[in-house]
């Protein structure tokens, strides 16, 4: 893996400022990480505002979530670990809490959303045309990260191309090879899910 801890810290701080400017991380919500090697990552600590991150608010853990320094990791760190273990080629994970993701997943009762016919779908890896369907799973929100990760693992077995997932009434998890691409995936999905929410509102008026 080609990224130093120092570089990872700087990319995470910058991502936090950007996500805050978009309104995707209210209060202390969300967490962000970058893979450092085969079994470690830099990840935001628990309970801090992500728009004003400092280097001290980022820590190193292994992929069992065990801190490699004396700082407190968030419970959701385990979901980052699960994604890195599941997707060895992935280099960064962003977890956001936006209004569209929260409202839409409370309104839609299904266990997934299909995104179809949008030009922006071409942002997702391996997709050349807008003429495709992208399936974004929705998991029931839970504080039991082990059980949640088991559900994520099961969905990936069935749908290995899954580009992101949602937690109901909670937020979005997105990933890609590096932080720049992960930011593109988050921005594209937030746009697409906002479109879905606006469509739902129009259909109800
Ligand atoms: Zn969260």
């Amino acid at each position: 893996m080609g990224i130093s801890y120092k570089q990872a810290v700087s990319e995470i701080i910058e991502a936090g400022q950007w996500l805050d400017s978009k309104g995707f991380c209210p209060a202390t919500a969300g967490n962000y990480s970058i893979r450092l090697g085969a079994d470690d990552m830099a990840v935001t600590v628990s309970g801090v505002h992500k728009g004003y991150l400092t280097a001290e608010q980022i820590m190193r853990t292994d992929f069992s979530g065990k801190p490699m320094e004396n700082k407190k990791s968030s419970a959701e760190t385990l979901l980052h670990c699960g994604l890195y273990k599941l997707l060895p080629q992935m280099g960064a994970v962003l977890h956001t809490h936006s209004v569209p993701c929260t409202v839409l997943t409370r309104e839609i009762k299904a266990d997934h959303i299909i995104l179809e016919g949008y030009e922006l779908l071409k942002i997702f890896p391996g997709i050349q045309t807008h003429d495709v369907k992208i399936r974004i799973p929705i998991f029931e929100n839970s504080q039991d990260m082990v059980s949640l990760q088991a559900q994520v693992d099961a969905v990936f077995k069935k749908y290995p191309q899954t580009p992101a997932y949602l937690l109901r009434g909670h937020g979005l998890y997105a990933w890609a090879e590096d932080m720049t691409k992960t930011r593109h995936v988050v921005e594209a999905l937030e746009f697409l899910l906002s479109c879905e929410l606006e469509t739902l509102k129009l259909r109800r008026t």
Side-chain angles (χ1 to χ4, degrees):
M1 290 290 148
I3 187 160
S4 68
Y5 182 72
K6 199 174 162 210
Q7 177 67 21
V9 165
S10 132
E11 290 189 16
I12 289 173
I13 290 174
E14 206 188 312
Q17 291 165 352
W18 173 70
L19 290 164
D20 184 35
S21 77
K22 297 275 189 187
F24 295 166
C25 57
T28 60
N31 32 68
Y32 320 137
S33 68
I34 290 183
R35 177 196 288 275
L36 298 168
D39 187 31
D40 61 340
M41 64 177 172
V43 62
T44 46
V45 302
S46 174
V48 296
H49 196 292
K50 308 304 182 297
Y52 312 105
L53 284 170
T54 63
E56 290 67 43
Q57 293 170 335
I58 294 165
M59 65 188 294
R60 199 189 289 250
T61 79
D62 67 15
F63 287 164
S64 66
K66 200 171 109 226
M68 297 165 84
E69 54 192 300
N70 190 22
K71 294 181 186 174
K72 187 177 182 293
S73 61
S74 140
E76 288 172 322
T77 299
L78 286 177
L79 298 179
H80 292 243
C81 296
L83 285 166
Y84 289 122
K85 285 194 274 190
L86 204 53
L87 305 164
Q89 73 281 22
M90 292 304 158
V93 176
L94 290 173
H95 166 49
T96 55
H97 288 215
S98 71
V99 172
C101 289
T102 305
V103 176
L104 200 59
T105 54
R106 282 163 62 95
E107 280 303 294
I108 292 177
K109 301 303 173 205
D111 65 356
H112 65 278
I113 293 179
I114 299 288
L115 299 171
E116 184 175 14
Y118 291 106
E119 175 68 14
L120 205 53
L121 290 174
K122 290 195 287 189
I123 191 79
F124 297 109
I127 292 179
Q128 319 293 341
T129 165
H130 68 281
D131 191 19
V132 287
K133 287 184 183 180
I134 299 263
R135 184 186 190 278
I136 309 291
I138 304 172
F139 298 103
E140 298 307 321
N141 197 27
S142 168
Q143 305 307 317
D144 181 347
M145 299 305 151
V146 174
S147 142
L148 206 42
Q149 186 56 45
Q151 295 171 56
V152 173
D153 290 346
V155 164
F156 267 86
K157 267 201 183 121
K158 208 167 167 193
Y159 304 101
Q161 300 303 321
T162 298
Y165 66 77
L166 291 157
L167 299 179
R168 197 179 305 285
H170 178 164
L172 171 74
Y173 274 82
W175 52 85
E177 292 91 334
D178 57 34
M179 184 55 93
T180 303
K181 287 184 183 152
T182 304
R183 285 171 58 159
H184 290 169
V185 172
V186 167
E187 196 164 23
L189 275 171
E190 291 289 357
F191 172 89
L192 294 167
L193 294 167
S194 297
C195 292
E196 290 290 306
L197 181 58
E198 290 302 317
T199 307
L200 196 67
K201 284 197 260 181
L202 285 175
R203 285 194 186 133
R204 289 186 181 179
T205 54

